[in-house]
Amino acid sequence: MSREDLDRAVHLLLAGRLVAFPTETVYGLGADARNPEAVARIFEAKGRPSTNPVIVHVAGIEQARRYTTEWSRNAQWLAEIFWPGPLTIVVPRSPEIAPSVSAGLDTVGLRAPRHALTLELLRLFDGPIAAPSANRSNRISPTTAQHVQEELGDRVDLILDGGQCDIGIESTVVSLCTPIPTLLRPGDVELDQLRAVLGRVDVAPHIQDVATAASSPGRHPIHYAPQKPCFRYESHEYSRVVRYLGEHATWPIVLLAINARMLASPKHRVVGMPTHPASYARHLYSALRTADTSGTSAILVELPPDEPEWMAIRDRLMRATRPLP
Ligand code: TXA
Ligand code: MG
């Protein structure tokens, strides 16, 4: 990326157009957060319901303070420790931010991304960039510029290519606008890390619901999902997998497995997934995307262990899949 690309990006943003950009989590679909028409373009390009608030990206603490009416001590501590990085902090929204960014809520989610190119863009633009992940609504988030191109094509005016995203899943979202700070979305910054700074942190009910959905199929909407049927199984459900594959012996099926010990058959392909959470996260969305676009009939995903360091990954997998029938 050259200086000219960045200048062009700034020019487009000021003109109310859409610019996709890399972050350390996933690619974002950006627009000037002060401009309601520009923000409307984001929702339109994604096919996203206007009831779902969008994150606002800032260059750092100084900018963040401009876009909130209350920058608390907790916000300051979190930002000092985790920014630039994969943490979105929900604080009271200043009137400068278009209400539609936050789906009409009087709060705003702020985050300084840890990506040199995008931090430079934010400094040059010198304003708030609203950006959800740069995918069509409810599809898999993009972790390369190529993915953004596949998802949005000419719905986006410019794609800045910053290579593959380092972390690979969306940021942690924590609200400081609830009586007790509340985790709204698990991510690379873990619950224990938030508790070390904030003391008590509650977990939003919708996260807990997803975490227990294994035993209650169909209780939550499918998000972040491939288009092919996508099923999950726990490691100890190995025998159910063998049975499923036996019943569908003629189907081309892709398995994303941590324990890739097994299941060789000419029709089935086993993709060995990393055993460490950080590398698993980095590969997850491109693995799902590749599985989804190969000529496969179904995707089976082995859930990683139900342990704190896997919380964000399990959360995404629970939303992307259904229990194995
Ligand atoms: O890693 C990320 O956060 C990526 C990159 C591009 O920064 N962005 C992203 O944005 O994932 P999006 O729009 O796909 O997800 C935003 C999440 C949603 O779950 C939304 O409900 C929550 O953040 N959120 C945003 N603003 C909020 C607010 N004011 N109150 C509550 N939740 C909010
Ligand atoms: Mg998203």
Side-chain angles (χ1 to χ4, degrees):
M1 284 287 114
S2 64
R3 177 59 196 251
E4 285 87 83
D5 290 311
L6 283 176
D7 285 343
R8 193 157 152 251
V10 169
H11 180 79
L12 286 165
L13 289 170
L14 287 172
R17 312 302 308 186
L18 300 181
V19 175
F21 59 85
T23 82
E24 79 282 34
T25 60
V26 300
Y27 273 73
L29 177 64
D32 186 343
R34 299 162 298 195
N35 179 339
E37 286 91 53
V39 173
R41 287 202 174 95
I42 294 180
F43 286 92
E44 196 183 299
K46 279 186 64 100
R48 180 172 172 125
S50 59
T51 50
N52 196 353
V54 167
I55 288 171
V56 172
H57 297 73
V58 293
I61 291 176
E62 201 187 302
Q63 272 202 350
R65 300 180 77 110
R66 277 194 240 157
Y67 305 121
T68 176
T69 53
E70 192 196 325
W71 189 250
S72 63
R73 246 174 20 154
N74 277 344
Q76 179 69 20
W77 283 336
L78 288 177
E80 278 177 11
I81 294 169
F82 296 112
W83 282 5
L87 179 68
T88 298
I89 309 172
V90 175
V91 291
R93 178 173 54 82
S94 96
E96 234 191 298
I97 301 293
S100 54
V101 166
S102 303
L105 297 171
D106 53 12
T107 58
V108 62
L110 299 175
R111 152 170 138 80
R114 190 173 65 220
H115 193 290
L117 174 71
T118 295
L119 283 174
E120 186 59 18
L121 172 68
L122 283 158
R123 279 190 286 263
L124 289 172
F125 180 58
D126 193 28
I129 304 182
S133 49
N135 50 281
R136 301 278 294 160
S137 195
N138 290 342
R139 300 278 339 274
I140 304 167
S141 293
T143 52
T144 66
Q146 175 66 33
H147 295 166
V148 179
Q149 179 62 39
E150 289 163 16
E151 285 286 324
L152 297 171
D154 55 15
R155 290 189 173 93
V156 51
D157 298 291
L158 175 66
I159 302 173
L160 294 175
D161 189 346
Q164 193 193 339
C165 299
D166 206 32
I167 290 177
I169 58 173
E170 304 83 352
S171 62
T172 304
V173 181
V174 65
S175 175
L176 299 181
C177 297
T178 44
I180 305 291
T182 305
L183 179 69
L184 299 181
R185 183 174 68 186
D188 188 67
V189 173
E190 291 175 25
L191 187 55
D192 279 353
Q193 292 176 280
L194 295 175
R195 287 184 171 149
V197 179
L198 300 173
R200 187 169 156 198
V201 177
D202 286 345
V203 176
H206 67 264
I207 298 175
Q208 298 177 28
D209 288 352
V210 162
T212 54
S215 52
S216 51
R219 253 185 55 209
H220 64 89
I222 297 276
H223 282 307
Y224 311 105
Q227 288 169 325
K228 300 281 168 58
C230 193
F231 302 108
R232 61 177 174 262
Y233 62 95
E234 301 276 1
S235 303
H236 63 80
E237 294 178 310
Y238 180 73
S239 57
R240 294 181 60 189
V241 177
V242 173
R243 196 192 62 211
Y244 182 90
L245 294 180
E247 286 166 3
H248 302 87
T250 59
W251 284 17
I253 291 174
V254 177
L255 289 100
L256 307 185
I258 294 174
N259 301 294
R261 48 185 161 156
M262 43 142 179
L263 308 165
S265 116
K267 278 286 178 193
H268 309 144
R269 197 161 61 82
V270 182
V271 178
M273 293 297 284
T275 53
H276 188 272
S279 33
Y280 192 106
R282 194 174 307 127
H283 290 103
L284 173 60
Y285 288 155
S286 54
L288 282 175
R289 213 171 258 281
T290 305
D292 203 22
T293 49
S294 64
T296 184
S297 301
I299 305 167
L300 268 55
V301 187
E302 178 183 3
L303 289 172
D306 192 0
E307 286 161 11
E309 68 267 30
W310 291 98
M311 182 182 188
I313 290 165
R314 280 183 64 101
D315 173 81
R316 301 309 187 278
L317 287 176
M318 297 298 261
R319 293 170 197 280
T321 61
R322 286 170 286 171
L324 194 63

